[in-house]
Amino acid sequence: MGRVLGVLGGMGPAATTAFMTRVQALTPATRDEDHLHMLVDLNPHVPNRHTEPEAAGRMLGEMAARLRDMGAEALAMPCNTAHAHAGTIRAASGLPFIDMIAETADAAAAGGARRIGVLATPGGEALYAEALAKRGQETVRLEGADRDAVMAAIFAVKAGDVGSGPRGEMRRLAGALVAAGAEAVIAGCTEVPLLIGAGDVAVPLVDSAEVLAAACVKACA
């Protein structure tokens, strides 16, 4: 029997449920008992990670400790921006934390690209820029109004809109990164892969949710 995986979720709910589906799909199982035991705190009331970071950190620490007390043996969080609080989560729980940013940066670097575009919130982009720099990669960033356009598309998903409008906009933004020289693109917000897939981008798309799901299966199966 593998380790029990605790998931800090709800940021947003659709991204969390999609992540759980990815974990299930990636698990090499032939029967129910082969799948991961997941304890999921799907909490959409975590304070805004952009405007209330201290309050968000406190709640994430509380969630991590609660998952530990429920029996979790390792933790993961399908929200890139909230990884700014990875240290708080580790300290509050004392459990191994499967780092989405580190795993995704490793996957992007392993693909051989030197210049990597990032589709993410400003906070998520900053985390990836730091992680990629440590691996010798250059981050390609969106400029001007396109930065606001990423956030608008992300919030469209949070509002339940995954239609042609936000899908087309996210494809356009990925294309802008490629035009700026990106040799690969990281879907660095868990709402992004709900709008675009590998076939929508002219260079390799590194899906942070897929990378995290695979890392969870490897660590806990």
Side-chain angles (χ1 to χ4, degrees), residues 105-161:
D106 284 344
R114 300 293 299 175
R115 305 188 74 228
I116 300 172
V118 180
L119 291 168
T121 67
E125 181 188 71
L127 292 172
Y128 275 112
E130 180 181 1
L132 291 170
K134 289 179 179 178
R135 292 158 176 79
Q137 318 302 118
E138 179 185 348
T139 300
V140 180
R141 305 169 187 259
L142 292 168
E143 301 293 340
D146 283 345
R147 297 179 68 80
D148 293 331
V150 171
M151 293 302 294
I154 289 170
F155 279 104
V157 176
K158 292 180 182 292
D161 183 3

Side-chain angles (χ1 to χ4, degrees), residues 5 9 16 34 63 67 71 78 194 216 221:
L5 176 66
T16 300
D34 296 332
M63 291 166 64
L67 286 166
L194 301 182
C216 289

